[in-house]
């Protein structure tokens, strides 16, 4: 992907491999519904990099959480699924 999609030519164990991974992750974050982050990982004396993958929050999920927060401010615990269903009905 680095070569075909971004245009970077690298050797397999180049000393800048981590930087290339960071560039690839940045591209993925910008162009997909996923949010990736690198985590430095040590196992015995070896260092490596792990990638944490999360799905980006949709606009609907942001509104659901905002409504739930408003409910908590008013001392009401609102079920996320009930809020999501109500919002979807309003938007239909």
């Amino acid at each position: 992907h680095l070569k075909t999609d971004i245009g970077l030519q690298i050797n397999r164990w180049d000393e800048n491999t981590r930087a290339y991974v960071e560039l690839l992750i940045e591209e993925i974050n910008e162009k997909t519904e996923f949010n990736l982050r690198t985590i430095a990982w040590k196992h015995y004396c070896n260092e490596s990099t792990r990638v944490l993958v999360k799905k980006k929050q949709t606009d609907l999920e942001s509104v659901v959480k905002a409504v739930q927060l408003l409910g908590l401010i008013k001392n009401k615990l609102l079920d996320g699924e009930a809020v999501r269903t109500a919002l979807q009905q309003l938007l239909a």
Side-chain angles (χ1 to χ4, degrees), residues 48-64:
S48 61
T49 301
R50 300 270 177 148
V51 177
L52 176 66
V53 179
K54 290 185 177 182
K55 197 163 187 175
K56 290 180 185 171
Q57 194 173 29
T58 63
D59 291 338
L60 178 63
E61 291 305 312
S62 298
V63 174
V64 168

Side-chain angles (χ1 to χ4, degrees), residues 8-88:
L8 296 175
Q9 182 72 32
I10 66 166
N11 296 325
R12 181 153 170 88
W13 299 113
D14 190 300
E15 63 188 20
N16 292 317
T17 301
R18 183 178 173 111
Y20 295 130
V21 170
E22 292 286 341
L23 287 171
L24 182 59
I25 285 175
E26 188 175 321
E27 285 285 316
I28 292 169
N29 287 343
E30 288 177 9
K31 296 182 179 183
T32 69
E33 72 274 13
F34 297 101
N35 191 19
L36 282 63
R37 179 171 64 101
T38 59
I39 301 171
W41 195 266
K42 292 185 180 184
H43 184 70
Y44 298 106
C45 62
N46 298 324
E47 287 189 31
S48 61
T49 301
R50 300 270 177 148
V51 177
L52 176 66
V53 179
K54 290 185 177 182
K55 197 163 187 175
K56 290 180 185 171
Q57 194 173 29
T58 63
D59 291 338
L60 178 63
E61 291 305 312
S62 298
V63 174
V64 168
K65 287 187 178 187
V67 170
Q68 286 181 302
L69 180 60
L70 180 62
L72 288 173
I73 291 169
K74 304 282 184 178
N75 292 323
K76 301 243 185 220
L77 181 60
L78 302 175
D79 177 52
E81 192 57 41
V83 172
R84 191 173 297 103
T85 301
L87 287 171
Q88 287 172 335

